[in-house]
Amino acid sequence: MVINMDVLKRIPVKEQDPKVRARNFEEVCLGYDKEEAMEEASRCLKCKNAKCITGCPVSIDIPGFIKAVEAGDIEEAYQVISKYSALPAVCGRVCPQETQCEQRCIRAIKGESVSIGKLERFVADWARVNDVKPEAAKEKKSQKVAVIGSGPAGLTCAGDLAKMGYDVTIFEALHEPGGVLVYGIPEFRLPKDTVVKSEIENVKALGVKIETNVVIGKSTTIDELMEEEGFEAVFVGSGAGLPKFMGIPGENANGVFSANEYLTRSNLMKAFDENYDTPIAAGQKVAVVGGGNVAMDAARTALRLGAQVYIVYRRSEEELPARVEEVHHAKEEGVILKLLTNPTEILVDDNGWVKGMKCIEMELGEADASGRRRPVEKPDSEFELEVDTVIMSLGTSPNPLISSTTTGLDINKYRCIIANEENGQTTKEGVFAGGDAVTGAATVILAMGAGKAAAKGIDEYLQNK
Amino acid sequence: MYRIVKKESLNPTVTLMEVEAPLIAKKAEPGQFIILRVDSNGERIPLTIADFNRATGTVTIIYQIVGATTQALDHLKEGENIQDFAGPLGRPTETEDFKKVAVVGGGVGCAIAYPVAKKLYEQGCEVHSITGFRNKELVILEEEFKKVSNKLVLMTDDGSYGTKGLVTDALKTLIESGEKYDAVITIGPLIMMKFVCALTKEYQIKTLASMNPIMIDGTGMCGGCRLSVGGKTKFACVDGPDFDGHEIDFDEALTRSSIYKPFERRAHEEVCHLYEMEVK
């Protein structure tokens, strides 16, 4: 069959209807089938100096895997990707490709870029369905490396080290590995039982051991792991999980949640599913304060739990830090954007529950140091928004539990661990760090890039030890 | 999986379990807690560490059957396993520098007060324990407290055992009889701790209250357990669970503890129904 196609345009990807999906937790994007993937792959010009590779934080050989897809050899495509990435089914779904690989695609100059993310996702999903696994190391080394945290940074670092033959153990504080992939990003963007679980199984298949319910800094410390347990190097990928609140009146009222709490209840504890014990106070009229991807995830989760939902953001749509695709999806599903609006107080009823939110309108002033126009309050523009639930999604910072219990591990004024960008080396010998623990809240793929760089750094360190 | 090595009923609604968890036993200090999940569909609940044995690698928890999860936990037998058991979490109770302390426990809170009293006593501190229960049937750990207290006053609401009245009555009597405490440490229902703190504030006695808000992760990543202390927002799981009792906003804490009441009632009914079916 020949698909009639305009080479300037990408092959569209099937999605669940917005009206239907706004009421379920099934994945929104349905992905390509093999035929569509091969067609889309044929749009790639297989550049010699492929710019797309430079846009990928883990430098996947993009033309290399796409060439295999075009030829219909999906297994080969998977092995190419696996050389660079431990979590392709995740990255193909959650990377902001429009500002990374796809932004640099030569096709994007005149027309639409090649749909690299969707192709990567297709390859990874095909490998899962057909039970193709990445190849484990043939030669084992005896040196032990501990990885703290099983989020994207830790899983990538552990996977790369295992491929080099090291004896790797991941320590995870929660009962389930995956970090933000399991507690943060919702099911409708990243299915847990299929996609996340199987990618973690792949990392285990490389020989990585995962110990859950171990809170480093409490159950044991990095110093003890190195001095008593024989770990010769440690990678800290503990993320930035400490939520911020605004500090406005009424913030501790019943019905005010951090996005982390709301999403953890729904995603990790599966509160949306009645077969699970954890409750969630979903709300009827919900305001999500903030404009990042986490805000979009919280808003779309509340929507699916049956609420009417507002995103309250102090700048305009142009400045929303969330991915364009996510904002588009949220709007399609019926999330209402209340832009240039900032909350000043949570209004509380006699029983201690949220009954509304006092807000003030904003306008954009001069650009600040970061280049973004600063929001300024409009005088006399206060108004009340009637809501029963408020979800604060104002960003997160690193949890001080690890830095405060490890001797010689320095942090900066934002409580982020200080680490060399090239190899992840911290101020403590043998201890490396990467991901949100170092940068503050960022993206999955940047964390993976940092985990990869640190794995290389650890290898060099152990080789020379 | 974490094996239950011992299970013992302390009264009709309170059970003791000794659980194999060597990592936690090695590090635990009085005042710290664990988070457990009974099974793979379960919720995470915090329980304070009632005792630990570093040599055998076991941790003791004492819980009251109040809802679906504690009921499911109580359904497990000796030799069976708890799915998840993480800790020790929170900060240990501050026990240094005290020479004379009143430990005030209420109901199942006495299980948490006991290791604190024990540690203080072993440090050479003079310990006066006041334990309160609704009635005689619910009394727990009387012998244990006797062993680690220079004075023990046992109160019951209805006077069916010990002295009739509330723990605050007993504390007030002791203070007015001239006992001078460096600190009062109180652990029990929120409402009881609120009144203990109100009383000691009158006498300006430093008071630590062990708070028990709703928790999910217990590691500081969600703020579900937040409360106001001295006008500032604190996370009980990492900043506490102990706080200066005279600074805590108890009314806010009481309101926050009721967030999930309707869900909890429904879940409890479902679980009861399930177990009844099993019996039939």
Side-chain angles (χ1 to χ4, degrees):
Chain A
M1 190 184 109
V2 178
I3 301 176
N4 231 342
M5 63 182 284
D6 174 353
V7 289
L8 296 181
K9 289 206 169 139
R10 39 170 76 176
I11 300 287
V13 64
K14 290 181 286 289
E15 283 178 353
Q16 263 200 84
D17 181 83
K19 283 203 187 67
V20 177
R21 72 178 194 238
R23 288 287 177 264
N24 69 42
F25 278 84
E26 312 279 311
E27 198 173 11
V28 168
C29 173
L30 303 170
Y32 285 144
D33 60 24
K34 190 171 175 185
E35 205 159 51
E36 291 163 337
M38 286 169 69
E39 281 295 336
E40 179 63 19
S42 75
R43 292 181 62 232
C44 173
L45 300 171
K46 321 287 173 324
C47 306
K48 282 245 155 47
N49 285 312
K51 290 276 191 295
C52 54
I53 300 180
T54 63
C56 172
V58 296
S59 309
I60 294 177
D61 176 9
I62 293 165
F65 97 78
I66 291 185
K67 205 171 155 186
V69 174
E70 190 180 356
D73 188 351
I74 314 301
E75 182 160 355
E76 168 64 16
Y78 180 72
Q79 295 304 347
V80 173
I81 296 175
S82 293
K83 273 186 211 151
Y84 306 89
S85 171
L87 311 167
V90 170
C91 288
R93 286 172 165 83
V94 304
C95 273
Q97 290 102 2
E98 66 275 17
T99 61
Q100 296 177 335
C101 55
E102 291 178 10
Q103 192 183 40
R104 311 214 182 168
C105 175
I106 207 99
R107 279 271 183 216
I109 296 169
K110 209 175 98 185
E112 292 178 344
S113 69
V114 172
S115 207
I116 300 168
K118 301 283 186 285
L119 286 174
E120 181 187 29
R121 166 192 164 142
F122 165 74
V123 170
D125 286 354
W126 181 94
R128 179 182 68 249
V129 173
N130 291 280
D131 207 24
V132 177
K133 301 263 172 222
E135 284 166 32
K138 299 214 167 53
E139 277 175 45
K140 298 278 181 203
K141 297 186 173 82
S142 62
Q143 286 156 302
K144 279 166 68 180
V145 183
V147 171
I148 319 300
S150 64
L155 287 172
T156 302
C157 185
D160 276 19
L161 288 166
K163 281 188 219 163
M164 295 170 196
Y166 292 102
D167 181 356
V168 186
T169 307
I170 299 183
F171 297 97
E172 167 57 46
L174 291 174
H175 58 264
E176 189 105 46
V180 74
L181 307 177
V182 294
Y183 76 74
I185 303 173
E187 192 72 22
F188 53 84
R189 282 217 288 142
L190 187 64
K192 310 287 164 249
D193 281 347
T194 49
V195 175
V196 178
K197 225 171 234 172
S198 91
E199 300 240 270
I200 290 168
E201 284 307 314
N202 284 349
V203 173
K204 282 196 206 162
L206 295 171
V208 174
K209 287 162 273 187
I210 303 183
E211 288 196 28
T212 52
N213 296 323
V214 182
V215 187
I216 301 296
K218 290 286 179 187
S219 315
T220 181
T221 63
I222 288 179
D223 289 354
E224 286 171 321
L225 288 176
M226 298 182 85
E227 283 154 27
E228 295 166 25
E229 306 292 329
F231 287 96
E232 294 188 46
V234 175
F235 173 74
V236 184
S238 51
L242 201 69
K244 289 180 187 157
F245 287 92
M246 292 188 83
I248 57 174
E251 218 169 4
N252 289 346
N254 287 3
V256 182
F257 304 96
S258 73
N260 263 13
E261 176 181 353
Y262 200 80
L263 289 171
T264 299
R265 285 181 180 274
S266 181
N267 297 331
L268 175 71
M269 307 311 298
K270 303 198 191 303
F272 68 85
D273 182 338
E274 59 181 27
N275 294 315
Y276 289 78
D277 296 342
T278 302
I280 191 163
Q284 298 292 314
K285 274 192 167 187
V286 177
V288 178
V289 183
N293 285 317
V294 177
M296 296 302 147
D297 285 345
R300 296 171 71 198
T301 297
L303 196 82
R304 283 160 170 76
L305 293 169
Q308 184 195 324
V309 185
Y310 300 103
I311 290 265
V312 176
Y313 180 58
R314 61 195 183 132
R315 291 183 162 96
S316 68
E317 182 161 356
E318 218 170 288
E319 288 85 21
L320 279 173
R323 284 187 72 187
V324 174
E325 184 181 334
E326 301 311 324
V327 178
H328 173 72
H329 278 152
K331 287 207 295 200
E332 268 188 341
E333 290 164 9
V335 171
I336 302 159
L337 299 187
K338 280 248 171 240
L339 301 163
L340 291 163
T341 302
N342 209 26
T344 53
E345 185 183 346
I346 312 271
L347 304 166
V348 189
D349 72 13
D350 296 341
N351 298 319
W353 280 83
V354 175
K355 66 170 181 189
M357 194 162 75
K358 204 181 260 179
C359 300
I360 188 159
E361 287 177 29
M362 311 292 277
E363 48 198 1
L364 292 180
E366 300 284 305
D368 62 13
S370 71
R372 288 199 303 179
R373 292 177 64 195
R374 216 162 52 84
V376 204
E377 290 184 359
K378 230 192 243 180
D380 303 320
S381 66
E382 279 185 333
F383 69 98
E384 281 178 19
L385 191 65
E386 194 195 306
V387 289
D388 57 23
T389 302
V390 176
I391 301 172
M392 291 294 177
S393 179
L394 312 159
T396 52
S397 60
N399 190 322
L401 197 52
I402 286 175
S403 54
S404 66
T405 55
T406 310
T407 54
L409 187 66
D410 291 349
I411 53 175
N412 66 19
K413 65 175 173 177
Y414 303 107
R415 295 204 284 201
C416 297
I417 296 172
I418 297 168
N420 180 323
E421 207 179 309
E422 301 285 306
N423 61 11
Q425 176 66 55
T426 66
T427 52
K428 185 180 172 80
E429 198 197 321
V431 177
F432 297 73
D436 288 2
V438 170
T439 58
T443 62
V444 167
I445 188 72
L446 283 175
M448 289 180 57
K452 202 168 188 63
K456 203 158 155 265
I458 289 170
D459 181 43
E460 276 158 18
Y461 167 76
L462 291 177
Q463 300 251 5
N464 295 324
K465 203 179 166 183
Chain B
M1 302 288 262
Y2 301 80
R3 200 164 63 90
I4 300 161
V5 294
K6 183 180 158 192
K7 184 183 173 192
E8 185 190 332
S9 176
L10 299 187
N11 75 26
T13 62
V14 175
T15 309
L16 174 151
M17 261 185 192
E18 213 177 311
V19 181
E20 210 170 62
L23 266 184
I24 304 175
K26 196 174 151 196
K27 280 290 168 67
E29 292 291 342
Q32 290 188 298
F33 64 95
I34 55 98
I35 292 252
L36 68 78
R37 206 168 62 119
V38 177
D39 54 43
S40 55
N41 288 8
E43 60 177 342
R44 296 168 66 95
I45 61 160
L47 286 172
T48 304
I49 295 168
D51 206 353
F52 48 84
N53 187 329
R54 304 212 202 278
T56 56
T58 56
V59 171
T60 303
I61 49 172
I62 294 177
Y63 56 88
Q64 184 168 20
I65 304 160
V66 289
T69 296
T70 40
Q71 180 125 38
L73 179 63
D74 207 51
H75 217 61
L76 293 177
K77 301 179 186 73
E78 241 172 55
E80 291 185 331
N81 292 305
I82 297 171
Q83 176 89 23
D84 297 294
F85 202 79
L89 302 167
R91 298 151 76 112
T93 298
E94 187 190 320
T95 51
E96 328 273 274
D97 312 325
F98 297 146
K99 297 214 164 51
K100 186 166 173 178
V101 172
V103 176
V104 183
V108 74
C110 293
I112 308 156
Y114 166 68
V116 176
K118 182 173 154 194
K119 185 168 180 195
L120 286 164
Y121 188 77
E122 284 168 356
Q123 279 173 2
C125 182
E126 184 178 342
V127 178
H128 292 185
S129 297
I130 303 168
T131 58
F133 306 92
R134 281 213 311 277
N135 57 46
K136 185 182 179 184
E137 214 188 10
L138 300 177
V139 171
I140 56 169
L141 301 174
E142 187 183 359
E143 286 310 307
E144 284 82 352
F145 266 105
K146 266 188 196 154
K147 280 182 206 150
V148 300
S149 310
N150 302 77
K151 189 176 270 181
L152 170 65
V153 186
L154 197 155
M155 308 291 290
T156 51
D157 293 1
D158 63 358
S160 52
Y161 193 63
T163 312
K164 183 178 162 116
L166 303 172
V167 290
T168 39
D169 302 334
L171 183 60
K172 189 168 180 170
T173 307
L174 283 169
I175 295 169
E176 299 211 320
S177 74
E179 302 285 1
K180 296 258 179 279
Y181 298 114
D182 298 324
V184 171
I185 298 178
T186 181
I187 305 164
L190 276 173
I191 194 77
M192 180 203 94
M193 293 196 287
K194 175 182 167 174
F195 284 108
V196 168
C197 293
L199 176 71
T200 58
K201 197 167 185 176
E202 279 175 36
Y203 295 96
Q204 294 180 325
I205 306 168
K206 179 187 170 110
T207 302
L208 296 175
S210 177
M211 299 300 281
N212 47 10
I214 291 168
M215 287 188 191
I216 302 101
D217 60 288
T219 61
M221 63 170 257
C222 83
C225 66
R226 67 191 188 278
L227 41 92
S228 297
V229 183
K232 292 205 177 82
T233 293
K234 299 278 179 187
F235 290 4
C237 69
V238 286
D239 301 321
D242 293 351
F243 294 98
D244 180 339
H246 300 154
E247 299 270 303
I248 298 167
D249 184 339
F250 277 104
D251 293 331
E252 181 189 275
L254 278 157
T255 304
R256 287 188 62 78
S257 71
S258 72
I259 298 182
Y260 296 98
K261 278 274 147 61
F263 298 88
E264 287 161 3
R265 204 169 304 124
R266 200 175 59 228
H268 194 186
E269 280 161 13
E270 274 170 20
V271 153
C272 291
H273 181 64
L274 212 69
Y275 290 147
E276 269 169 30
M277 305 252 289
E278 236 171 74
V279 174
K280 282 174 198 164

